[in-house]
């Protein structure tokens, strides 16, 4: 990055409010997240059923830990202003989607990546040791879901040929009538949180970590799928070789 741009970003980070600081601090991370293979599939307008199912499994574990940490710390000064369980909670919606795809025994059929478990572990640590950092995690997930996430929902529906709403609850926020207005409210609530300079810089650092944890989940998910397709290709090749040798 050019030095002038870097200086400008540092000035923006120092002078502005938390919502602007966090956006500036995670700008590069956002670009990196958008450029993961999984997100590129989305941007190409193509996502497979396996990709979506595995993503839902990981998201279940992530939101389970996030929402538990938020509930436990709901009255903490740095959490109360951004605590919107009715409008934002995702755990139940993801559960519904998993039931749609896997049936009633979805809990036993879920496949959870090590990266999702690490992310959930970090959320539990933050909830226990640094509740003031929860805003970084809530921002990264919920504001993302209300931004690019809305487009991802439409792509999922189209790619998988799902009927309106079926298996797509994760993307739907029935208690938020205007995502843009809600994001404005959320940012103003973030800006009302009182933080010491040390806490503020911890929150900004944690937001970068939150993006990094998401990137790791996406990468691991994609790697596991390419592993599956490599094995499938190998099996297909062996099958063809076997057929050739038996017909020769
Ligand atoms: C905001 C696109 C992936 C987190 C946005 C916005 C767009 C967008 C258009 C609105 C920017 C604005 O209002 O100024 C995308 C696309 C993605 C993607 C196309 C991938 C296909 C992600 C991921 C995360 C994320 C993976 C995090 C896990 C956020 C957050 C915001 C945001 C936190 C709010 C920024 C703010 O207003 O402070 N995204 N996004 N996005 N996105 Fe993404």
């Amino acid at each position: 990055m050019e030095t002038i741009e870097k200086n400008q970003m540092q000035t923006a980070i120092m002078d502005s409010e938390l919502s602007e600081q966090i956006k500036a601090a995670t700008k590069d991370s956002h670009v990196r997240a958008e450029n993961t293979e999984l997100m590129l599939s989305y941007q190409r307008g193509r996502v497979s059923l396996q990709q979506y199912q595995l993503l839902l499994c990981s998201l279940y574990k992530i939101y389970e830990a996030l929402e538990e940490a938020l509930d436990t710390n709901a009255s903490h000064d740095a959490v109360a202003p951004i605590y919107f369980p009715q409008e934002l909670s995702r755990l139940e919606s993801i559960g519904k989607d998993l039931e749609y795809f896997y049936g009633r025994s979805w809990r036993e059929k879920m496949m959870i990546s090590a990266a999702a478990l690490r992310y959930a572990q970090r959320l539990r640590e933050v909830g226990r040791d640094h509740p003031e950092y929860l805003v970084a995690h809530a921002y990264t997930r919920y504001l993302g879901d209300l931004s690019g996430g809305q487009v991802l929902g439409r792509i999922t529906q189209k790619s998988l040929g799902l009927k309106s709403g079926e298996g797509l609850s994760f993307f739907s926020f029935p208690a938020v009538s205007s995502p843009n207005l809600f994001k404005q409210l959320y940012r103003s609530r973030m800006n009302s949180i009182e933080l010491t300079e040390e806490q503020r810089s911890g929150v900004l650092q944690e937001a970068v970590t939150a993006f990094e944890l998401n990137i790791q989940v996406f990468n691991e998910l994609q790697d596991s799928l390419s592993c599956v397709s490599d094995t499938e290709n190998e099996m297909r090749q062996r099958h063809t070789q076997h057929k050739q040798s038996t017909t020769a």
Side-chain angles (χ1 to χ4, degrees), residues 23 30 33-34 39 43 139-141 143-144 147-148 152 183 187 211 214 218:
K23 186 169 185 170
H30 191 277
E34 277 178 287
M39 290 299 130
Q43 287 169 85
Y139 161 83
T140 302
R141 283 299 338 165
L143 255 56
S147 306
L152 305 193
K183 283 196 288 183
R187 289 189 192 107
F211 269 84
N214 277 280
F218 302 154

Side-chain angles (χ1 to χ4, degrees), residues 40-59:
L40 288 174
S41 298
Y42 266 104
Q43 287 169 85
R44 291 181 195 117
R46 265 198 325 259
V47 61
S48 71
L49 182 60
Q50 272 185 319
Q51 278 175 317
Y52 182 49
Q53 286 173 334
L54 285 183
L55 182 62
L56 284 174
C57 292
S58 290
L59 289 175

Side-chain angles (χ1 to χ4, degrees), residues 14 27 30 36 38 52 55 83 87 94-95 111 114 129 189 199 210 222-223 228:
M14 276 166 4
K27 194 168 177 250
H30 191 277
T36 53
L38 181 67
Y52 182 49
L55 182 62
Y83 185 61
E87 290 81 356
I94 304 171
M111 286 198 288
D129 303 333
R189 292 294 189 85
Q199 286 172 328
Q222 206 54 40
D223 285 352
V228 170

